Amino acid sequence: MFAPEDRWVVIGAGLGTGMGYVGLSSLVVALPQVQVFVAVDVAVLLWITNIYLLMLASLLIVGGSLGDV
């Protein structure tokens, strides 16, 4: 099935993806407090969420290509 060293790559990729989803969930939970602290409207919160998702997607692409190597 997998060579022993390949298992660590699969485990690392799975943990990295899981951490990304946990980070996104914590951002969604924290958005109301961010809105109060920074004193911005909903449109700015959407920009914050979109920037976070863009960075997450780019890091997942890089991590996926490194996992293929």
Side-chain angles (χ1 to χ4, degrees), residues 2-63:
F2 288 113
E5 61 272 2
D6 291 342
R7 289 184 183 152
W8 291 110
V9 173
V10 172
I11 290 170
L15 286 175
T17 303
M19 288 174 53
Y21 290 125
V22 168
L24 178 61
S25 297
S26 64
L27 175 68
V28 170
V29 169
L31 278 177
Q33 288 83 14
V34 170
Q35 183 179 15
V36 170
F37 182 74
V38 183
V40 294
D41 58 348
V42 176
V44 176
L45 290 178
L46 288 175
W47 276 102
I48 292 171
T49 306
N50 287 336
I51 291 169
Y52 181 81
L53 288 174
L54 180 66
M55 292 302 299
L56 179 65
S58 63
L59 290 175
L60 283 176
I61 291 171
V62 171

